[in-house]
Amino acid sequence: MVFKHQHFHETSPEVEAEFPPSATLEGAVSDALASAGGIDASDVAVIASGSEITLSGTVQLETEVARAEEVALSVAGVATVRNGLRFTRPR
């Protein structure tokens, strides 16, 4: 058996980015929402496209919708937020 190192057209493979920038930004906004006071972000989805963040999902109080947008805008690298959150009254 002959062992050869991995090559792609005679050059070693390179990993350009382990985590793409959008995933890093999504993670930062999700972490900020999870640790921020005044919002339960357990049902909030965060999607990044460039420096724009889209929030979707539900929160329990109407005030949490604005608070989530405020928190997302406070994260470094976020320029705009598209807020698609809906609120549901607690039972």
Side-chain angles (χ1 to χ4, degrees):
M1 181 183 292
V2 176
F3 175 76
K4 292 184 177 183
H5 292 284
Q6 292 180 344
H7 288 285
F8 181 74
H9 296 288
E10 301 303 319
T11 60
S12 299
E14 283 184 34
V15 176
E16 290 183 21
E18 181 124 359
F19 298 103
S22 61
T24 303
L25 191 55
E26 288 172 4
V29 172
S30 294
D31 290 346
L33 288 171
S35 63
I39 181 171
D40 175 8
S42 57
D43 291 326
V44 175
V46 178
I47 299 173
S49 178
S51 62
E52 179 181 82
I53 294 292
T54 301
L55 301 175
S56 60
T58 58
V59 291
Q60 292 202 3
L61 303 173
E62 188 173 8
T63 56
E64 292 177 312
V65 174
R67 177 73 176 134
E69 185 172 342
E70 177 184 305
V71 170
L73 280 170
S74 72
V75 174
V78 175
T80 58
V81 175
R82 298 179 85 188
N83 195 340
L85 292 176
R86 296 173 288 125
F87 71 96
T88 58
R89 298 191 190 278
R91 297 177 193 183

